[in-house]
């Protein structure tokens, strides 16, 4: 049950990061998502639900304080001018974010690093990916785009991505969440679990299988994580049935690691 709580916390924090109010999360939204996650992970005990809520709120409040301390110096004058009536850190962050068009350049740069850019007024292409209107980019401290919060589901290279956080590398998408289970290069990947992550060639390098899948003569287990060096060249995977490879026998559910040359990797 502790593992379920941990997973629920991670997914809830990812949800909170996609809210346009940044870290200022409406409690009603939080409770609604919490109930959905509780149902999904079979958490029914009221004390555990309350524990989950307390943990998430504690983390969010800590992040709010960190954000405020980051913005306090570059945005001090703007906060005093625009948000002097705000009664607490949450409302101050909400206020300064809602008034971005009126802040100084130094404050806007700090807001961009902390919360991402302003929502796109129209669809915009970045690294070959067309992002929908209303999406907004987020950046590292040096101002480089790290990713985007997509305002709605979108398609890229035949793959349907879910709205929310998308990460980039220099050649396209590095990671995003699928809208539903779907086939990519002949393999069906799950909407749940880790990934998919993509390499610079646009190939899957890490994802969760939606069904038992045969790759290069080996059947890998549904709902397990699989890693690739390149298309069809597995780095690691969990076998679905008893399998003998290179003279070694692996039982169902056992994880296998391969070297780049295809030899089994020993630890």
């Amino acid at each position: 049950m502790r593992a379920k709580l941990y997973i629920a916390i991670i997914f809830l924090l990812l949800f909170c990061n996609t809210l346009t109010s940044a870290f200022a999360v409406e409690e009603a939204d939080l409770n609604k998502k919490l109930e959905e996650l509780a149902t999904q992970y079979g958490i029914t005990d009221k004390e555990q639900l309350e524990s989950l809520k307390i943990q998430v709120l504690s983390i969010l409040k800590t992040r709010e304080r960190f954000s405020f301390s980051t913005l306090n110096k570059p945005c001090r004058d703007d906060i005093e001018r625009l948000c002097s009536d705000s009664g607490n850190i949450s409302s101050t962050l909400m206020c300064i974010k809602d008034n971005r068009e009126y802040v100084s350049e130094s404050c806007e740069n700090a807001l961009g690093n902390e919360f991402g850019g302003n929502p796109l007024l129209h669809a915009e292409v970045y690294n070959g990916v067309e992002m929908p209107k209303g999406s907004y980019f987020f950046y590292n401290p040096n101002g480089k785009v790290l990713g985007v919060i997509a305002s709605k589901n979108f398609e890229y290279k035949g793959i349907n991505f879910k709205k929310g956080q998308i990460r980039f590398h220099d050649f396209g998408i590095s990671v995003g969440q699928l809208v539903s289970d779907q086939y990519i290069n002949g393999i069906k990947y799950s909407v749940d679990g880790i990934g998919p992550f993509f390499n610079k060639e646009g190939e899957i390098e890490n994802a969760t299988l939606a069904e038992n899948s045969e790759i290069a003569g080996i059947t890998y287990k549904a709902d397990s994580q699989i890693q690739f060096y390149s298309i069809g060249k597995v780095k690691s995977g969990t076998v679905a049935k008893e399998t003998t490879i290179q003279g070694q026998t692996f039982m169902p559910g056992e994880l296998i690691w391969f070297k780049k040359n295809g030899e089994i990797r020993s630890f």
Side-chain angles (χ1 to χ4, degrees):
M1 186 61 71
R2 181 174 294 179
K4 289 183 178 180
L5 279 171
Y6 177 77
I7 293 172
I9 288 171
I10 296 300
F11 274 89
L12 191 55
L13 288 175
L14 289 174
F15 159 76
C16 292
N17 277 341
T18 66
L19 295 179
T20 56
S21 57
F23 302 138
V25 181
E26 293 291 339
E27 190 165 347
D29 291 328
L30 191 64
N31 287 335
K32 180 180 178 181
K33 190 62 180 179
L34 176 58
E35 291 173 3
E36 293 174 357
L37 285 169
T39 300
Q40 181 179 348
Y41 290 99
I43 301 171
T44 57
D45 186 272
K46 290 185 178 180
E47 290 186 2
Q48 289 179 331
L49 290 174
E50 187 62 25
S51 174
L52 175 58
K53 179 181 176 181
I54 290 172
Q55 290 180 66
V56 171
L57 284 174
S58 175
I59 293 170
L60 290 176
K61 291 302 180 183
T62 299
R63 293 179 66 183
E64 281 186 344
R65 289 192 292 271
F66 179 80
S67 294
F68 184 77
S69 66
T70 301
L71 296 171
N72 192 33
K73 183 176 180 179
C75 295
R76 180 176 298 165
D77 293 341
D78 300 282
I79 290 173
E80 291 180 357
R81 177 168 54 88
L82 300 168
C83 306
S84 59
D85 294 334
S86 299
N88 54 49
I89 289 177
S90 294
S91 58
T92 299
L93 290 175
M94 178 77 79
C95 172
I96 199 65
K97 188 171 182 290
D98 288 344
N99 287 279
R100 288 180 67 162
E101 59 184 305
Y102 306 112
V103 302
S104 63
E105 182 177 354
S106 61
C107 182
E108 171 55 33
N109 290 337
L111 286 166
N113 290 337
E114 194 65 28
F115 297 139
N118 286 311
L120 300 177
L121 298 178
H122 50 76
E124 183 174 318
V125 176
Y126 180 81
N127 278 7
V129 185
E130 183 174 315
M131 302 313 307
K133 174 183 176 181
S135 305
Y136 60 92
F137 294 101
F138 55 93
Y139 309 84
N140 68 13
N142 296 322
K144 181 180 179 180
V145 172
L146 292 176
V148 67
I149 304 298
S151 60
K152 61 181 181 180
N153 299 344
F154 67 97
E155 182 180 333
Y156 173 66
K157 292 186 176 181
I159 302 171
N160 295 311
F161 289 95
K162 188 176 182 179
K163 68 178 182 179
Q165 186 175 134
I166 302 292
R167 291 268 180 166
F168 295 114
H169 49 51
D170 292 339
F171 301 93
I173 291 176
S174 63
V175 62
Q177 187 176 2
L178 303 177
V179 172
S180 60
D181 295 354
Q182 61 184 287
Y183 286 95
I184 303 173
N185 295 325
I187 300 172
K188 192 174 186 180
Y189 294 101
S190 175
V191 66
D192 300 314
I194 294 175
F197 293 82
F198 300 86
N199 62 24
K200 293 182 178 181
E201 284 70 45
E203 303 167 348
I204 294 280
E205 64 177 7
N206 193 337
T208 302
L209 296 172
E211 60 186 10
N212 286 355
S213 304
E214 184 175 329
I215 305 168
I218 301 172
T219 302
Y220 294 94
K221 186 179 179 182
D223 299 319
S224 67
Q225 186 181 355
I226 190 162
Q227 298 184 73
F228 295 93
Y229 288 112
S230 59
I231 292 178
K233 193 172 184 179
V234 174
K235 181 178 182 180
S236 70
T238 301
V239 295
K241 57 185 179 181
E242 184 175 333
T243 305
T244 300
I245 309 168
Q246 299 171 22
Q248 297 187 46
T249 299
F250 298 88
M251 302 306 293
E254 194 168 353
L255 180 65
I256 306 176
W257 287 83
F258 295 94
K259 300 177 183 178
K260 283 188 177 181
N261 64 6
E263 295 179 359
I264 293 174
R265 183 177 177 184
S266 300
F267 292 91

